[in-house]
Amino acid sequence: MNHQRKAGILLHPTSLPGPYGIGDLGPQARAWLDFLAAAGQTVWQILPLSPAGWGNSPYQALSDFAGNPLWISPEDLLADGLLSAADIGDPPRFAAGPADFIGAREFKSRLLRQAHARLRAGGVGRLNPEFERFREEEKPWLEDFCTFLALKRAHADRPWWEWERDSAFFLPDAVRRARANLAEEMEEIAFEQFLFRRQWEALREHARRKGILVLGDLPMYCALDSAEVWSARRYFQVDRGGLPSVQAGVPPDYFSPTGQLWGNPIFDWEKLQTEGFAWWIRRARAALDRADLVRLDHFRGYAAYWAVPAGRATAEDGRWLPGPGEELFARLRQAIGGLPFLAEDLGVITEDVVALRERLRLPGMAVLQFAFDGKPENPFLPDNIGLHTAAYTGTHDNDTILGWYRSLSEAERRRADRYRPGGGDVAWDFIRLAWESAAETAVCPLQDLLGLGAEARMNRPGRAEGNWGWRFRGGDLRPDLAGRLRELTGSSGRMAEPAGDPPG
């Protein structure tokens, strides 16, 4: 990230409003970017864009290379001639509240099949060459992903380790048979990915015209039930049955007293190293293809990772093992010409993690909700936040600022109130602290800008269900809110570049 002072908002596409049960990449997404520009913002931060797997979590994706087809906009398919008004018809009356993942998937799957049928029937001939070019250019990951998802659907959506053995173990003959028998299903899946890419790139272009950088997200680990682990398990620490021999997670910290047991398989860094980290670099490049900058989730895992033996119920019984360290990033810098990353360096951070981040010259993160423990050396206190940092009111894993503030003990609240002018809007006071800090970048979740409580929380780490679905309402982005944020952004020296001259 460059050193111009910037500000932005964290909002996942799922959280956009709209009539189809979940946010998408169409008119409401463009209106969101227009709001950011009107508010003087230069950063839109998102969570991973991949198709969510278990628990609807974007950090348990079916593939890190693929995009989420749930966000394909029916209005934009209509504009492209891939759907007619009659195809959309009278959609289900989705509630305006949290995302209806099941209902939206059923509705959009039907629309996407109709769009594909229209393409095959020659209804939109101009898109055929573009689709075929996409399939050829993305073949290194797309063919395996389409095979994986088609087989998964053929096995009633069960995880790959519950399929018949030859398919589960990616044996060449079984894969060839699957590709022959499921060719039509695979083409539909590829077409969904083509549409996602087409609509996302159009939205990225809208962001560029508005002078807005997209800050993406690269999960530290792949989901166990993913195309990556299924097709490339040699790069993971798994047993002879293909299941993790050690599980990823973190020891007890301020998010969870028993730690967080994510269950993901851990990379076989030694195997990756022998191949110059080429496979992992392709994974990182896929994230960079979708964003201007990328947040490296769980950065401390690159210095050392917490390995929990298979079969454990919590993350308490693990041990630290060395990660790939600086060598991986040297290879990555060589491959892409730089390191356009933000390091998520939260949790149990030791000196080796700090040293690695500083050697790589990556900005870290400071979260105001972790600042008020009474220790004057706390690095997240507003006065202690350094320049080479992104300051946050909270992240997707935190409560909202208002929900957090209401949950504080009396002593904690007194410490926090020392930094507030007193009696004002709680959420706005903390946004002001982030914006006026020395950090080169300041970010808040939209929930905090809207002053919402714990009911609007995006994720509760350790809770398996009921996460990731929060959505705002269409009338929430008021002109006066944009004006108020624009005024603060200007007074704190974070105003967007003049129109037509994008930052960075």
Side-chain angles (χ1 to χ4, degrees):
M1 300 177 80
N2 63 42
H3 296 299
Q4 175 193 321
R5 283 171 66 81
K6 298 182 288 292
I9 306 296
L10 168 60
L11 182 81
H12 201 40
T14 293
S15 300
L16 291 161
Y20 303 115
I22 194 168
D24 63 41
L25 307 180
Q28 295 287 352
R30 292 187 287 274
W32 161 246
L33 290 170
D34 295 345
F35 172 84
L36 287 179
Q41 305 306 287
T42 49
V43 177
W44 174 24
Q45 182 171 348
I46 55 176
L47 305 182
L49 293 174
S50 304
W54 179 77
N56 298 309
S57 170
Y59 295 93
Q60 295 290 341
L62 297 175
S63 171
D64 288 336
F65 292 85
N68 193 336
L70 280 181
W71 299 330
I72 294 172
S73 162
E75 287 100 336
D76 287 4
L77 294 181
L78 186 65
D80 271 336
L82 286 164
L83 292 178
S84 67
D87 291 330
I88 297 177
D90 186 17
R93 294 187 178 275
F94 292 106
D100 182 349
F101 292 101
I102 295 173
R105 185 173 292 110
E106 291 174 353
F107 174 66
K108 290 198 173 182
S109 292
R110 175 177 64 81
L111 294 186
L112 291 170
R113 284 194 299 271
Q114 289 172 310
H116 181 242
R118 179 156 296 182
L119 182 82
R120 293 195 70 180
V124 195
R126 62 185 172 80
L127 288 182
N128 271 308
E130 192 179 338
F131 176 40
E132 291 308 316
R133 186 165 57 251
F134 168 79
R135 292 182 74 181
E136 185 60 32
E137 290 174 352
E138 304 302 322
K139 188 175 181 178
W141 69 268
L142 183 64
E143 189 171 39
D144 285 347
F145 172 69
C146 292
T147 309
F148 168 80
L149 194 53
L151 277 167
K152 189 173 177 63
R153 291 174 179 176
H155 288 85
D157 210 36
R158 295 197 303 274
W160 61 259
W161 56 90
E162 294 182 8
W163 303 349
E164 59 90 12
R165 185 184 182 281
D166 287 0
S167 294
F169 279 80
F170 198 69
L171 298 185
D173 287 346
V175 171
R176 278 193 294 270
R177 285 195 304 272
R179 288 173 177 167
N181 296 334
L182 300 171
E184 186 171 344
E185 179 86 1
M186 288 175 61
E187 183 175 304
E188 288 185 1
I189 294 166
F191 185 60
E192 292 174 359
Q193 289 303 307
F194 165 70
L195 293 176
F196 172 87
R197 176 72 63 87
R198 195 165 189 273
Q199 291 193 2
W200 177 249
E201 288 183 351
L203 192 61
R204 286 279 309 281
E205 180 57 33
H206 192 80
R208 281 189 284 267
R209 288 197 299 269
K210 295 290 179 178
I212 295 168
L213 300 170
V214 175
L215 173 53
D217 197 310
L218 179 61
M220 178 70 202
Y221 297 114
C222 299
L224 175 59
D225 190 22
S226 68
E228 283 75 62
V229 178
W230 173 69
S231 64
R233 71 192 62 184
R234 64 190 179 280
Y235 298 129
F236 298 87
Q237 296 184 47
V238 294
D239 61 24
R240 293 180 66 183
L243 298 178
S245 53
V246 288
Q247 307 171 78
V250 290
D253 62 10
Y254 37 55
F255 283 122
S256 173
T258 60
Q260 298 177 50
L261 184 62
W262 301 324
N264 304 66
I266 295 172
F267 294 114
D268 185 338
W269 289 116
E270 290 185 7
K271 173 64 175 175
L272 286 162
Q273 183 185 33
T274 64
E275 300 180 10
F277 300 103
W279 182 90
W280 195 95
I281 289 169
R282 288 198 299 273
R283 180 175 178 257
R285 195 189 292 275
L288 289 164
D289 284 344
R290 296 178 186 156
D292 301 287
L293 310 159
V294 169
R295 168 188 174 272
L296 293 176
D297 176 57
H298 192 56
F299 176 77
R300 75 137 302 117
Y302 296 101
Y305 58 87
W306 187 246
V308 181
R312 299 299 194 272
T314 74
E316 294 168 284
D317 183 18
R319 61 178 179 143
W320 291 111
L321 295 172
E326 201 165 354
E327 184 180 350
L328 169 64
F329 290 95
R331 296 276 189 166
L332 189 54
R333 181 188 280 112
Q334 184 180 28
I336 66 172
L339 296 176
F341 297 119
L342 167 67
E344 185 270 288
D345 54 347
L346 306 174
V348 181
I349 301 303
T350 49
E351 290 183 7
D352 59 324
V353 182
V354 176
L356 176 62
R357 183 182 63 77
E358 290 181 347
R359 286 197 303 273
L360 298 173
R361 301 181 62 80
L362 298 181
M365 291 174 58
V367 177
L368 292 179
Q369 291 187 30
F370 302 146
F372 306 105
D373 59 3
K375 299 176 181 177
E377 71 276 10
N378 187 311
F380 301 151
L381 280 168
D383 293 343
N384 294 343
I385 294 174
L387 167 66
H388 205 41
T389 307
Y392 287 76
T393 56
T395 74
H396 62 275
D397 281 333
N398 292 100
D399 201 345
T400 67
I401 273 287
L402 187 58
W404 163 80
Y405 185 80
R406 288 170 173 169
S407 72
L408 293 178
S409 68
E410 187 174 339
E412 290 169 327
R413 189 173 298 181
R414 277 199 307 270
R415 289 195 291 267
D417 283 346
R418 292 180 193 142
Y419 286 86
R420 297 179 59 222
D425 179 315
V426 170
W428 197 259
D429 285 345
F430 284 94
I431 293 170
R432 185 178 298 277
L433 284 173
W435 261 238
E436 293 181 348
S437 73
E440 64 189 32
T441 305
V443 178
C444 75
L446 180 62
Q447 293 95 315
D448 290 345
L449 189 64
L450 298 177
L452 300 178
E455 74 284 351
R457 186 168 181 171
M458 192 64 168
N459 181 45
R460 290 173 172 81
R463 189 178 80 169
E465 302 293 335
N467 294 320
W468 311 110
W470 176 80
R471 300 170 75 202
F472 74 90
R473 296 175 184 268
D476 287 342
L477 303 182
R478 306 180 313 274
D480 64 303
L481 184 64
R484 187 181 185 190
L485 183 58
R486 186 179 185 87
E487 182 179 355
L488 173 61
T489 304
S491 66
S492 58
R494 300 183 184 276
M495 183 59 71
E497 291 285 319
D501 191 10

